[in-house]
Amino acid sequence: LYLGHSLIFIDPKGDTSTFKTLKTLCSQTNRLKDLIKIDLANSSESAKYNPLKNGSPTELKDKIVGSIIWTEEYYKKIAKIKAPVTLSSLRDFLVDTESYQMPTDYPSDEDAEVFTLILQYIKSQAKDLSGLTSDIVLWTESEFSSITSSEIAPSAYDWIIDKKIVYINLNTLAFEESSRRFGRLIIQDIKTAVQRLQGADEKDRPTTSDVIDEFAAVDSRGFIELLNKAQSAKVRLTLP
């Protein structure tokens, strides 16, 4: 904090004393203006966050699949759909595909053709995709859905670039699987941020520290790749 670096602290326990300590440290280092609190236990006062703001279509697919842990191959068919960038808009797309209009900014006719084919596929497989749709609907109608409802809200990449200090209260005791899923989504988002930072000049890579307390609560299959690439992107991972 004294060096002006960013920090992302993921706390599955929801221990209020941890946030109080972090807030005190921010005050001592004159960085209260950089402090952000994502609070699943108190969504009405939580800052907003959009985990789907950054990333290619495949990266967005990986974030969703990696956090909800779907294994069916057809769930991954949405990878090439280049559009909805919030969980709520993804829900609307799956629930009412008939009314969804093809984006007009596709770079090629091939992409437009892929989009059309996927729309046809989803319509024909509506019954099989009901599990995916139900999971997204449950997520977007949960107690903390308002946290991820804003398209312009920052992502993990934005936090790092803007050198923010982010405390994330998952409160797994209260929300169990939903909060674990949220934690896995954040880890996937951090992985996307790392990939972007690796593509930037070294001088443009801000140093950041990511602390994941009680890592087992939010372990995801994308974490090993994150661990392998984090150091080169100046992302320091700590698992207390």
Side-chain angles (χ1 to χ4, degrees):
L1 301 186
Y2 283 100
L3 295 174
H5 297 165
S6 62
L7 168 69
I8 299 175
F9 191 106
I10 301 176
D11 185 6
K13 301 188 304 297
D15 187 349
T16 56
S17 63
T18 302
F19 178 72
K20 289 179 180 178
T21 299
L22 183 59
K23 188 173 182 179
T24 298
L25 291 172
C26 287
S27 178
Q28 293 172 350
T29 56
N30 194 30
R31 296 198 61 191
L32 279 174
K33 65 182 184 302
D34 295 324
L35 183 60
I36 294 173
K37 186 179 184 181
I38 305 294
D39 192 352
L40 270 62
N42 190 4
S43 59
S44 62
E45 297 185 10
S46 173
K48 303 297 184 183
Y49 165 57
N50 184 5
L52 304 184
K53 182 177 181 180
N54 293 312
S56 66
T58 298
E59 287 172 330
L60 296 181
K61 176 266 295 180
D62 287 343
K63 288 182 188 182
I64 298 169
V65 173
S67 62
I68 301 181
I69 313 183
W70 297 313
T71 56
E72 291 84 344
E73 189 62 27
Y74 52 71
Y75 286 171
K76 301 177 184 179
K77 295 290 185 180
I78 63 171
K80 291 184 179 292
I81 296 178
K82 183 185 172 189
V85 288
T86 67
L87 291 170
S88 295
S89 54
L90 177 59
R91 173 204 61 201
D92 295 342
F93 172 73
L94 290 170
V95 170
D96 191 12
T97 307
E98 290 287 346
S99 64
Y100 193 82
Q101 300 297 315
M102 183 172 67
T104 58
D105 60 346
Y106 272 108
S108 70
D109 291 339
E110 181 182 356
D111 286 335
E113 182 180 355
V114 168
F115 180 88
T116 301
L117 289 173
I118 290 176
L119 279 184
Q120 293 173 352
Y121 179 88
I122 290 177
K123 291 175 183 177
S124 66
Q125 300 294 325
K127 183 177 180 180
D128 289 335
L129 288 170
S130 61
L132 166 62
T133 305
S134 295
D135 279 332
I136 293 292
V137 168
L138 285 173
W139 189 312
T140 56
E141 293 181 355
S142 66
E143 296 90 336
F144 43 84
S145 60
S146 59
I147 296 174
T148 59
S149 62
S150 173
E151 184 175 330
I152 63 173
S155 65
Y157 178 79
D158 298 316
W159 292 336
I160 294 171
I161 293 298
D162 295 337
K163 299 182 179 180
K164 297 299 184 181
I165 300 164
V166 185
Y167 172 81
I168 302 168
N169 172 20
L170 295 180
N171 198 356
T172 53
L173 287 176
F175 299 110
E176 298 189 21
E177 183 53 35
S178 294
S179 60
R180 296 175 194 273
R181 183 181 298 173
F182 194 94
R184 291 192 293 265
L185 185 59
I186 292 171
I187 290 175
Q188 294 288 338
D189 192 24
I190 293 173
K191 189 178 79 169
T192 297
V194 165
Q195 291 169 338
R196 285 199 159 205
L197 291 169
Q198 284 185 317
D201 290 339
E202 187 171 356
K203 62 180 177 60
D204 297 326
R205 300 175 191 170
T207 300
T208 185
S209 295
D210 294 347
V211 181
I212 307 173
D213 197 12
E214 295 188 2
F215 171 71
V218 294
D219 184 14
S220 73
R221 55 190 171 189
F223 183 75
I224 298 300
E225 184 180 358
L226 171 61
L227 194 62
N228 291 335
K229 296 181 177 180
Q231 186 174 359
S232 63
K234 294 185 179 180
V235 175
R236 302 168 178 173
L237 294 173
T238 302
L239 310 178

